């Protein structure tokens, strides 16, 4: 069983870190995982994305053509990845920043006002974690608890005080996705 | 020790530190810069040398000088930077001092781009500098292998007084994967410089490290020594990874990232009933030519997958030539992507299916013609 996913947004929205949370959780669950960032001559305000592949078997390609799941944190990311998604894939859309709905009808779309929810929790920088919660609940690739444990185990010491807020963000996103897909 | 989620470039840096590297000289270039950055942070903490040189040319000559002391030293760069180092590599090889070079390959030729590629195969494996020298070349396909082969590179470099290269593409340098780091190498073992090293000749006759042999007979004899060592390595140090080769009649050959992508294609081909297998060379010099010759006796076709225009494929052709049943040569096909594009498993699977449909028929050699000196009609 292999799940490949892409997380994409403006630089600074935490797309790369969101992918790393999933990679840590997968590793701690004893799964195979690869995480690879977009890298290049990037500019401030440009988009950044990462590809994460999680599998119970050795992973060949760390890159994918048609991801089974994606988080798009901004409009350019939706424009780029909506057409590339595998049919039946899970697409988490940050509706706080993306005014349009996805056009494809063969995707499982979860619209999450990630920025608004994060602001409610007191820190807009948690928007990426809200989206991760939604993805995990919708795609069923890892449990919310596994991701929580990974955050506790791998957040740098200086950020440990943010752990309760991260857990809340994760659970808000997961609850919203579960309700949306129910 | 538990597994950690490590980026390829940083994993190599930490593995080198644990292997006992005493000095790192380098110059930043994407996609290997995290390696240099990691060294910049960690080496001074450990009381070791980190020096950012003014150029790749300076860096490789600093490596040359430091290697003469018999200590473990290294540099890292990416394709255009490694091109700049070629003169130094030839001198180091001819001086028989050990060192480790890491080449995190990117798209070329020229300035190219910073995306992953494998276009340096010929330059690194055949020798991009002048003269008859070889370097031991290790090609990891995972972050764990990058860690393990970095340690091995230092050990082999010391054992044979040679340059050992860890050759990978930019995607492996940038990628994070779970990997386990080895313990630190035994400090006592690393503490005593070898007898040939330049350590100050107090109380002993002087040592000389040089690459110059002005008398042709001396130079020839020295070259014969080098060649004897390379032949010994070719007998004893070949390493490769195989998957499902036992009963395979179609063999895919790829190194590094191309090899791991190809393994997925082989699994898919098996699921569709093709008797496919994979040979992924881990040492590119020495090349697993003997194993390929053995496989040629059971295989009707080989598919070589590379992230270049077809470089290692020449070595596969040589290895299997005339080695098939009845002295025939099995079909050897090539599938490659260039410019920084990583092939995906479905592409490799497509090429493998095409091979399966036609393999076993030895193609007629195409007529070769060459123009005479005056450019007139071709003489046959």
């Amino acid at each position: 069983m292999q799940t490949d996913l892409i997380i994409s947004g403006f630089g600074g929205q935490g797309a790369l870190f969101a992918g790393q949370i999933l990679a840590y959780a997968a590793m701690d669950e004893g799964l195979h995982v690869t995480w690879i960032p977009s890298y290049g001559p990037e500019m401030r305000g440009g988009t950044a994305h990462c590809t994460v592949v999680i599998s119970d078997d050795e992973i060949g390609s760390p890159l994918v053509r048609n991801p089974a799941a994606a988080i798009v944190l901004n409009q350019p990311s939706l424009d780029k990845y909506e057409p590339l998604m595998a049919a039946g894939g899970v697409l988490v859309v940050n509706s706080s920043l993306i005014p349009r709905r996805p056009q494809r009808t063969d995707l499982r779309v979860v619209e999450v006002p990630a920025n608004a929810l994060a602001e409610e929790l007191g820190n807009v920088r948690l928007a990426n974690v809200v989206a991760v919660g939604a993805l995990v609940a919708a795609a069923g690739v890892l449990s919310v608890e596994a991701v929580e444990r990974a955050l506790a185990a791998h957040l740098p010491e200086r950020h440990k005080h943010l752990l309760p807020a991260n857990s809340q963000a994760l659970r808000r996103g997961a609850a919203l996705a579960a309700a949306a897909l129910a | 020790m538990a597994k950690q989620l490590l980026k390829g470039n940083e994993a190599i840096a930490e593995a080198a530190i644990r292997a006992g590297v005493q000095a790192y000289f380098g110059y930043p270039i994407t996609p290997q810069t995290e390696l240099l950055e990691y060294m910049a942070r960690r080496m001074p903490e450990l009381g070791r040398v980190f020096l950012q040189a003014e150029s790749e040319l300076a860096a490789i000559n600093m490596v040359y000088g430091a290697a003469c002391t018999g200590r473990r030293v290294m540099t890292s760069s990416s394709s255009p930077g490694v091109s700049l180092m070629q003169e130094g590599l030839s001198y180091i090889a001819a001086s028989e001092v050990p060192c480790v070079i890491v080449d995190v390959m990117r798209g070329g030729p020229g300035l190219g781009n910073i995306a992953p590629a494998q276009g340096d195969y010929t330059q690194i494996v055949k020798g991009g500098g002048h003269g008859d020298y070889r370097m031991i070349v290790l090609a990891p396909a995972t972050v764990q292998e990058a860690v393990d082969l970095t340690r091995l590179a230092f050990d082999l470099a010391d054992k044979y007084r040679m340059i050992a290269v860890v050759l990978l593409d930019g995607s492996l340098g940038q990628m994070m994967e779970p990997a386990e780091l080895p313990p630190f190498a035994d400090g006592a073992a690393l503490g005593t410089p070898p007898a040939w090293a330049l350590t100050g000749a107090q109380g002993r006759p002087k040592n000389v490290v040089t690459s110059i042999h002005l008398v042709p007979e001396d130079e020839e004899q020295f070259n014969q020594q080098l060649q004897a060592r390379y032949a010994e390595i070719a007998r004893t140090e070949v390493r490769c990874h195989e998957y499902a080769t036992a009963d395979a009649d179609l063999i895919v050959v790829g190194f590094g990232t191309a090899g791991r992508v190809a393994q997925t294609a082989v699994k898919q081909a098996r699921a569709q009933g093709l008797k496919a297998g994979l040979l992924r060379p881990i040492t590119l010099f020495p090349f697993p030519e003997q194993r390929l010759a053995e496989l040629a006796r059971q295989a009707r076709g080989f598919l070589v997958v590379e992230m270049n225009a077809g470089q290692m494929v020449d070595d596969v052709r040589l290895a299997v030539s005339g080695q098939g049943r009845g002295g025939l040569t099995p079909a050897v096909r090539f599938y490659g992507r260039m410019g920084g594009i990583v092939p995906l498993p479905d592409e490799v699977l497509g090429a493998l299916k095409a091979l399966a449909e036609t393999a076993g028929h030895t193609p007629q050699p195409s007529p070769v013609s060459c123009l005479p000196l005056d450019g007139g009609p071709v003489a046959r």
Side-chain angles (χ1 to χ4, degrees):
Chain A
M1 181 60 194
Q2 177 165 313
T3 304
D4 32 55
L5 56 101
I6 283 173
I7 305 178
S8 182
F10 289 125
Q13 280 188 297
L16 301 192
F17 178 68
Q20 285 182 9
I21 296 172
L22 292 169
Y24 278 117
M27 176 178 75
D28 293 351
E29 293 290 291
L31 296 165
H32 295 267
V33 63
T34 59
W35 172 97
I36 187 165
S38 57
Y39 65 94
E42 308 289 0
M43 60 182 181
R44 189 180 292 263
T47 57
H49 76 268
C50 65
T51 305
V52 180
V53 181
I54 298 171
S55 177
D56 54 12
D57 192 10
E58 284 175 80
I59 296 165
S61 175
L63 301 168
V64 297
R65 179 177 287 122
N66 305 115
I71 295 172
V72 289
L73 294 167
N74 65 357
Q75 174 84 44
S77 300
L78 175 63
D79 295 344
K80 181 170 178 190
Y81 292 109
E82 183 185 357
L84 296 179
M85 297 283 300
V90 171
L91 179 61
V92 176
V93 178
N94 179 11
S95 56
S96 294
L97 297 186
I98 304 175
R100 80 164 173 89
R101 283 190 60 90
Q103 287 150 358
R104 279 176 63 175
T105 54
D106 61 343
L107 300 176
R108 295 163 66 211
V109 174
V110 182
E111 291 185 291
V112 184
N115 286 54
L117 287 175
E119 274 170 26
E120 273 177 45
L121 294 169
N123 188 346
V124 71
R125 290 166 65 196
L126 292 168
N128 58 344
V129 182
V130 172
V132 166
L135 178 97
V136 165
V141 55
L142 292 161
S143 69
V144 174
E145 290 73 25
V147 178
E148 254 182 337
R149 283 194 296 272
L151 277 167
H154 301 287
L155 265 190
E157 208 53 49
R158 65 184 189 282
H159 290 148
K160 278 279 160 67
H161 65 283
L162 295 170
L163 202 51
N166 272 279
S167 287
Q168 272 186 304
L170 199 63
R171 288 182 176 278
R172 283 295 289 276
L176 203 141
L181 293 173
Chain B
M1 185 173 280
K3 282 189 174 173
Q4 297 169 255
L5 191 65
L6 295 171
K7 189 170 219 193
N9 284 334
E10 297 186 340
I12 290 172
E14 181 61 29
I17 284 167
R18 289 175 185 226
V21 69
Q22 295 299 310
Y24 173 96
F25 309 93
Y27 187 81
I29 181 170
T30 307
Q32 72 73 56
T33 296
E34 294 88 354
L35 205 169
L36 172 138
E37 286 175 338
Y38 192 94
M39 289 298 192
R41 187 168 68 247
R42 282 282 283 154
M43 292 292 271
E45 281 174 10
L46 297 165
R48 305 182 191 177
V49 174
F50 168 85
L51 202 156
Q52 181 172 322
E54 69 269 33
S55 70
E56 287 87 351
L57 205 63
I60 194 64
N61 282 292
M62 290 173 184
V63 166
Y64 183 12
C68 291
T69 68
R71 302 291 182 161
R72 289 192 160 182
V73 298
M74 73 178 290
T75 186
S76 60
S77 190
S78 177
S79 310
V82 176
S83 288
L84 288 167
M85 295 181 179
Q86 291 303 324
E87 180 200 41
L89 293 176
S90 175
Y91 278 61
I92 292 170
S95 300
E96 301 179 275
V97 294
C99 64
V100 169
I101 312 293
V102 180
D103 180 3
V104 186
M105 293 178 283
R106 61 187 236 179
L111 203 50
N113 62 28
I114 58 175
Q118 297 181 326
D120 301 1
Y121 177 91
T122 300
Q123 184 186 52
I124 295 294
V125 174
K126 310 290 181 180
H130 57 283
D132 288 301
Y133 74 94
R134 289 286 195 168
M135 306 186 288
I136 294 166
V137 186
L138 307 173
T142 64
V143 174
Q144 183 67 63
E145 278 189 4
V147 168
D148 298 343
L149 294 180
T150 298
R151 170 66 67 95
L152 181 65
F154 280 102
D155 291 346
L156 293 178
D158 281 351
K159 183 175 176 186
Y160 294 105
R161 292 179 61 181
M162 277 175 66
I163 301 166
V165 183
V166 181
L167 185 70
L168 60 154
D169 70 272
S171 71
L172 190 49
Q174 292 297 320
M175 185 163 81
M176 291 179 93
E177 258 186 326
E180 194 175 331
L181 289 164
F184 276 77
D186 183 6
L190 299 171
T192 318
W196 55 261
L198 307 188
T199 56
Q202 270 193 327
R204 62 162 173 79
K206 69 175 181 183
N207 287 335
V208 176
V209 172
T210 182
S211 71
I212 190 169
H213 305 278
L214 280 175
V215 180
E217 285 76 10
D218 294 347
E219 180 76 299
E220 185 177 52
Q221 195 197 4
F222 170 70
N223 266 282
Q224 283 164 344
Q225 276 174 32
L226 287 185
Q227 293 303 320
R229 190 176 315 153
Y230 302 156
E232 180 193 345
I233 289 169
R235 278 195 306 276
T236 56
E237 300 291 354
V238 176
R239 288 162 173 83
C240 61
H241 161 83
E242 290 185 40
Y243 175 79
T245 49
D247 65 340
D249 66 356
L250 300 167
I251 305 287
V252 185
V253 189
F255 69 95
T257 296
R260 68 183 279 169
V261 170
Q263 182 161 320
T264 302
V266 166
K267 286 180 187 174
Q268 292 168 348
R270 281 271 165 185
Q272 296 181 19
L274 292 178
K275 283 163 75 176
L278 173 85
L279 185 140
R280 176 166 62 77
I282 291 172
T283 51
L284 300 179
F285 178 80
F287 193 67
E289 54 200 18
Q290 204 172 336
R291 182 62 187 137
L292 282 163
E294 282 167 18
L295 288 170
R297 288 195 268 284
Q298 71 183 58
R300 60 195 174 100
F302 287 79
L303 175 68
V304 182
V305 183
E306 299 179 68
M307 287 148 61
N308 57 40
Q311 299 189 14
M312 184 179 71
V313 63
D314 292 345
D315 290 322
V316 175
R317 284 202 180 98
L318 277 175
V320 305
S321 178
Q323 300 294 327
R325 276 179 295 251
L328 291 172
T329 299
V332 179
R333 304 277 162 72
F334 174 73
Y335 183 78
R337 296 299 301 262
M338 292 176 283
I341 294 177
V342 181
L344 290 177
D346 56 354
E347 300 168 44
V348 179
L349 181 61
L352 190 49
K353 283 181 176 169
L355 173 71
E357 282 167 19
T358 55
H361 310 286
T362 310
Q364 293 298 311
S366 55
V368 178
S369 56
C370 47
L371 293 177
L373 194 57
D374 63 5
V378 174
R380 293 275 180 175

